Amino acid sequence: MALPLSILDLAHIGEGETAADSFTASVALAQRAEELGYRRVWYAEHHNMDSIASSATSVLIAHVAAHTRTIRLGAGGVMLPNHSPLTIAEQFGTLETLHPGRIDLGLGRAPGSDQQTMRALRRTPSSADSFPQDVLELQGYLSGETRIPGVHATPGKGTNVPLYILGSSLFGAQLAAMLGLPYAFASHFAPTALEEAVALYRRDFQPSAQLDRPYVIAALNVIAAETTEEAEEQFLDSKRLRVSRFLGRGRSFTTEEADMILESPAGQQIVQMAKYSAVGDRGEVKAYVDRFAEHAGADELIVAFSAVDRKAWMRSAELLAEVYLG
């Protein structure tokens, strides 16, 4: 039986595009995902990255929500140490008030940026240390059972926006299990600890008011095309783009240079990041997604469509839904 299927929209800004173009594409993808039967679309918080437009995550969610009707929308995720819990409770309480029953709040503790950007965000290296306490404080604002006497989130109080813990290591799995929250593993770019983290989470899970049994969302990349050859070419283009983004330091590479770098140790690290990638025609992608779901022990899958070309990006979403959601 097919699992619920969701989308992680990385809100990328393509070559020759503006942030406005990216927002237009995100709306179009969410509208199409709603038609196709996807469960939710999430947007991730990143800062100081010319290629990603989702830095103001809650604002982007509000924009997409205003142009859709039923699909769930959320953060995948908000990097909570960058913010005060009260501010996030107010933002997502506002979203839930405007769009009842459609808002999710995924939480991570990574900076979503580099060291200099951390300084600009007024964040210190020790900010992540209070992540568990910050999650509990945020949860209190949203439930109406504040942990700070006399301080309430308005809007936010009593909205009970569902929380999800995001992670790529055992820390997030332990925290999600302890708090009785759903756990989303970032296996689309950090595949190494997937099996161990999911096993730990399921073993140590403690039921909570939000969730009575473990719930795992596992992420993977998908490039689906009409033919295997088309998909493989798109996958190669996406790896070349990652070379420029992660190793370029402000410069771009020719195709030949990027391919040489992909053969190097640094390039192989980039290849390894995309270990969990379904690439191929309809049948090949469906078979891979089925295998991955079983391998990950997932209750839901969240997909990052990694084709560089916008039409191919949207077509991947359509082809996957065709074979997986019927």
Side-chain angles (χ1 to χ4, degrees):
M1 186 174 181
L3 299 179
L5 195 60
S6 298
I7 295 173
L8 177 63
D9 180 357
L10 298 175
H12 73 278
I13 303 172
E15 186 175 354
E17 290 186 340
T18 65
D21 296 325
S22 176
F23 297 148
T24 298
S26 288
V27 168
L29 179 63
Q31 290 173 334
R32 191 72 180 111
E34 188 172 78
E35 295 169 356
L36 293 169
Y38 285 90
R39 174 166 289 190
R40 64 185 101 236
V41 183
W42 280 0
Y43 308 92
E45 177 185 343
H46 294 279
H47 298 281
N48 193 29
M49 296 184 70
D50 292 341
S51 59
I52 296 180
S54 52
S55 54
T57 315
S58 60
V59 181
L60 178 55
I61 292 168
H63 177 64
V64 177
H67 289 83
T68 51
R69 298 177 296 105
T70 58
I71 195 165
R72 296 192 67 89
L73 301 165
V78 161
M79 301 298 108
L80 191 54
N82 293 344
H83 313 274
S84 76
L86 177 61
T87 298
I88 297 304
E90 291 168 340
Q91 290 177 3
F92 280 79
T94 298
L95 287 168
E96 175 64 23
T97 302
L98 291 169
H99 306 283
R102 295 182 57 201
I103 303 301
D104 300 325
L105 178 48
L107 301 168
R109 66 173 182 145
S113 59
D114 54 43
Q115 295 294 318
Q116 285 293 90
T117 309
M118 283 177 61
R119 289 182 57 198
L121 288 166
R122 305 297 189 264
R123 173 178 170 158
T124 66
S126 63
S127 298
D129 295 344
S130 63
F131 181 63
Q133 291 75 30
D134 289 345
V135 172
L136 289 171
E137 184 181 336
L138 172 60
Q139 190 175 48
Y141 291 135
L142 293 170
S143 68
E145 299 175 5
T146 180
R147 291 172 175 261
I148 310 296
V151 179
H152 301 277
T154 306
K157 179 180 178 180
T159 56
N160 293 299
V161 176
L163 302 182
Y164 298 75
I165 299 298
L166 277 58
S168 57
S169 69
L170 301 187
F171 177 88
Q174 291 168 331
L175 182 62
M178 181 179 69
L179 299 181
L181 295 175
Y183 180 51
F185 192 88
S187 35
H188 65 296
F189 78 91
T192 307
L194 171 64
E195 295 166 87
E196 188 179 1
V198 170
L200 186 155
Y201 168 71
R202 291 194 179 280
R203 184 193 72 204
D204 294 347
F205 180 84
Q206 299 293 317
S208 68
Q210 180 177 326
L211 194 63
D212 63 356
R213 65 186 66 185
Y215 192 86
V216 172
I217 302 176
L220 73 157
N221 304 287
V222 169
I223 295 181
E226 301 296 340
T227 68
T228 306
E229 292 72 23
E230 288 177 72
E232 292 288 355
E233 185 59 38
Q234 291 169 21
F235 189 40
L236 179 56
D237 286 342
S238 75
K239 288 186 284 190
R240 289 167 176 160
L241 182 61
R242 288 188 182 211
V243 166
S244 295
R245 287 179 176 173
F246 291 112
L247 302 177
R249 303 183 192 278
R251 62 162 289 192
S252 57
F253 299 105
T254 66
T255 297
E256 292 76 15
E257 289 172 334
D259 289 345
M260 286 180 61
I261 293 170
L262 283 171
E263 296 299 322
S264 72
Q268 285 301 298
Q269 286 186 322
I270 290 175
V271 171
Q272 178 62 19
M273 288 170 65
K275 174 182 176 180
Y276 294 123
S277 296
V279 179
D281 63 20
R282 292 169 174 82
E284 290 165 329
V285 164
K286 173 65 163 60
Y288 185 98
V289 171
D290 285 339
R291 290 195 305 272
F292 175 78
E294 183 175 355
H295 170 74
D299 301 291
E300 179 178 335
L301 301 175
I302 191 162
V303 172
F305 297 112
S306 48
V308 176
D309 176 77
R310 282 290 182 199
K311 290 182 179 179
W313 178 71
M314 183 70 81
R315 188 60 180 147
S316 282
E318 294 170 341
L319 289 173
L320 178 59
E322 180 183 310
V323 295
Y324 196 78
L325 296 175

